[in-house]
Each structure stands twice: as C-alpha cells, then as structure tokens.
Amino acid sequence: MAAKQPPPLMKKHSQTDLVSRLKTRKILGVGGEDDDGEVHRSKISQVLGNEIKFAVREPLGLRVWQLVSAIMFSGVAIMALTFPDQLYDAIFDEESVSSSKTPIRLYGGALLSISLIMWNALYTAEKVIIRWTLLMEACYFTVQFLVTTVSLVENSRIATGAMLLLVSRALFILISIYYYYQVGRRPKKV
C-alpha cells in the first residue's frame, strides 16, 4: 500500500487576516482606548507608558530665560574672579579694601559653579531638573537681595548701583518663581 501524501500545508497568515489580528489585539488589551483616553499601539507601550505624556510643556520664553540666566551668572562669575575690585566698586560706589578681593573671588567661584548647573539645565528636557534649577535661582536671588539690603541699611547710604541691583534681583525673583510654577503645573486634558 502506498503511503498517502498529506495535503500541502496551508499556512494561515495571521498578519494579513484582519479578524485574527483584531482578536489577538483584543486579548492583549491593546489598540483600544484606556481610562486616560490614550490608544496604545503595543503591549510594551501600554506597560511602560507613553513618553509623550511625560514631556514638559514649556512655558513661553522659558529657554530664553534659562539662556539669559546662564550668561548672566557666567559673566558676573568671570568678572568677580578676574576684576574683584571693579565689581565691588560698580555695585557699592566705593573703593574696596585690599583684603576684600578674596571673598569676592570666592563669590565668583560659587557663581561659576552655579552657572555650570544653569548651562546643563538649558539642555535638559526633564521637568524636575528644570524646576530645581529655577528654584535654586530664585533662592540665590532672594539671598542676594536680602544681603544687599542689609548691607545698605548698615552703611546707611544708598548707592545707585546697589539700588539697580536690588530692583533687578526683585524682578529676577519674580521671573524665576513664575517659571518654576509654570513648569510644575499639570497640563490640562484636552
């Protein structure tokens, strides 16, 4: 008796069979909308989450403010490191004592360190890092505002450079706090 030849195998092309593909996606739980109204393309994106919803919606002008801050911190730091007497003279309208060079240079070193943080924050998209940088900036400007105010009251003289510094620091505090809260705000669902 001759062996009966099996019929040629017919492969089921589940990739092209629309009904089969839809049933598979239904079993996996992908393709439909979830509770947040998002449509997941794969089980991996459903489990890991959609990175688009974690993207920061940046307030208008945030990156410009970060750039201006980084340039400003770097400029004052370099000036404090290289020309401490001129920086002191420009702010307080009086000659500095020769022993005051070291504290001003230390101030310049601290500002240079802060400016490095500012430059790195300019290139990040992470919301937490941007917020911490803005908070650091607001705290720095607040401390500088308070220290300058106390120094002016103790010396009982008002210098034009110091008043300009106070007004600019108050403005910088407001801008930094504004962006801090704007970056931290939850986006509205559309």
Side-chain angles (χ1 to χ4, degrees):
M1 199 166 169
K4 192 175 183 183
Q5 291 288 337
L9 293 175
M10 303 240 344
K11 290 185 179 177
K12 184 174 182 182
H13 298 285
S14 63
Q15 299 297 338
T16 58
D17 185 10
L18 181 62
V19 174
S20 175
R21 212 171 48 200
L22 288 175
K23 284 181 184 176
T24 305
R25 292 177 69 78
K26 183 73 171 175
I27 291 169
L28 288 174
V30 295
E33 287 188 8
D34 63 3
D35 295 337
D36 294 332
E38 294 182 25
V39 177
H40 297 282
R41 305 270 181 241
S42 70
K43 194 66 176 176
I44 293 173
S45 72
Q46 186 178 16
V47 171
L48 295 178
N50 189 357
E51 72 179 57
I52 293 173
K53 76 175 167 183
F54 296 115
V56 177
R57 293 189 181 208
E58 297 175 351
L60 189 64
L62 172 67
R63 295 299 179 173
V64 173
W65 173 246
Q66 287 180 309
L67 178 67
V68 167
S69 295
I71 291 170
M72 183 174 52
F73 274 76
S74 299
V76 173
I78 291 170
M79 187 173 174
L81 287 170
T82 53
F83 308 111
D85 291 334
Q86 287 81 356
L87 180 66
Y88 186 86
D89 190 33
I91 294 173
F92 293 106
D93 288 339
E94 61 185 46
E95 288 294 318
S96 65
V97 185
S98 63
S99 65
S100 69
K101 283 186 179 183
T102 303
I104 294 174
R105 285 196 171 127
L106 287 172
Y107 167 73
L111 274 185
L112 191 61
S113 300
I114 292 174
S115 74
L116 291 174
I117 295 170
M118 304 294 290
W119 283 109
N120 285 323
L122 182 62
Y123 297 108
T124 189
E126 292 186 39
K127 186 177 181 177
V128 175
I129 293 174
I130 294 171
R131 289 194 80 208
W132 272 106
T133 306
L134 290 166
L135 183 63
M136 173 203 57
E137 192 175 347
C139 289
Y140 166 77
F141 288 138
T142 303
V143 168
Q144 190 177 31
F145 180 85
L146 293 173
V147 168
T148 306
T149 303
V150 168
S151 297
L152 289 175
V153 169
E154 283 178 350
N155 292 338
S156 66
R157 56 182 293 217
I158 297 175
T160 308
M163 288 307 295
L164 183 62
L165 181 74
L166 287 177
V167 170
S168 67
R169 292 312 177 231
L171 179 66
F172 295 159
I173 291 168
L174 293 175
I175 293 171
S176 296
I177 290 174
Y178 168 77
Y179 282 124
Y180 175 79
Y181 283 112
Q182 288 299 312
V183 170
R185 234 178 46 184
R186 294 183 186 260
K188 296 178 184 173
K189 288 189 178 180
V190 180

